[in-house]
Amino acid sequence: MGKKILVAEDSSVIQNITRKVLQFQNYEIISVKNGQQVLDKLNKDHYDAILLDINMPVMDGMECAQKIRALDDDSKNNVPIVAITGNAKNYSMDDFKAVGINEYLPKPLNFDNLVNVVNKVTNN
């Protein structure tokens, strides 16, 4: 099995397509629907990257990224985070960097871009 990617996305459609595209590239995909579930999963397991939707219920991607970066465990607080957002105009790359997000992908997702960015952040 390849590297493990945690996908946090409240849209089942985007979650499923992302899963299929990345599984085809030999990534193992675990999916959740909000930021709190990301933190719960991260407490139990290690991931090679996190794809984080910015607009999610319960806890949004910006808050979730800040909480990941504030974790005490260095193997977890340094995980690469890729933001996925349909509202990129609301945030600049500086805003993303300020909360610890490494890269961002605009929606609608370009799947070649998705694969390239995930490969880049996981050094594949």
Side-chain angles (χ1 to χ4, degrees):
M1 218 0 138
K3 296 184 175 182
K4 281 171 66 170
I5 309 294
L6 183 58
V7 177
E9 169 61 68
D10 60 332
S11 159
S12 302
V13 173
I14 294 174
Q15 221 181 63
N16 290 334
I17 295 170
T18 303
R19 172 190 303 275
K20 284 183 174 64
V21 168
L22 292 175
Q23 281 176 333
F24 191 72
Q25 302 291 323
N26 290 320
Y27 287 102
E28 182 184 346
I29 307 301
I30 290 79
S31 302
V32 296
K33 293 204 173 265
N34 67 58
Q36 185 57 55
Q37 292 172 331
V38 169
L39 296 173
D40 295 345
K41 289 278 186 198
L42 202 51
N43 277 331
K44 296 183 185 88
D45 213 343
H46 171 81
Y47 296 92
D48 294 290
I50 298 174
L51 298 182
L52 199 56
D53 185 15
I54 294 303
N55 298 307
M56 291 183 293
V58 185
M59 181 189 302
D60 72 17
M62 297 299 270
E63 184 183 349
C64 182
Q66 286 178 304
K67 291 191 183 234
I68 291 167
R69 294 302 182 227
L71 293 171
D72 289 334
D73 184 337
D74 285 345
S75 71
K76 296 183 179 192
N77 64 25
N78 286 316
V79 63
I81 301 173
V82 178
I84 302 173
T85 182
N87 295 334
K89 293 183 269 325
N90 296 351
Y91 298 104
S92 69
M93 199 57 219
D94 289 340
D95 295 330
F96 290 136
K97 295 262 187 234
V99 297
I101 292 171
N102 303 86
E103 297 281 342
Y104 92 92
L105 292 164
K107 288 181 189 174
L109 282 179
N110 170 315
F111 294 105
D112 290 336
N113 242 0
L114 170 68
V115 170
N116 290 338
V117 168
V118 172
N119 286 345
K120 177 177 152 189
V121 300
T122 59
N123 299 315
N124 248 11

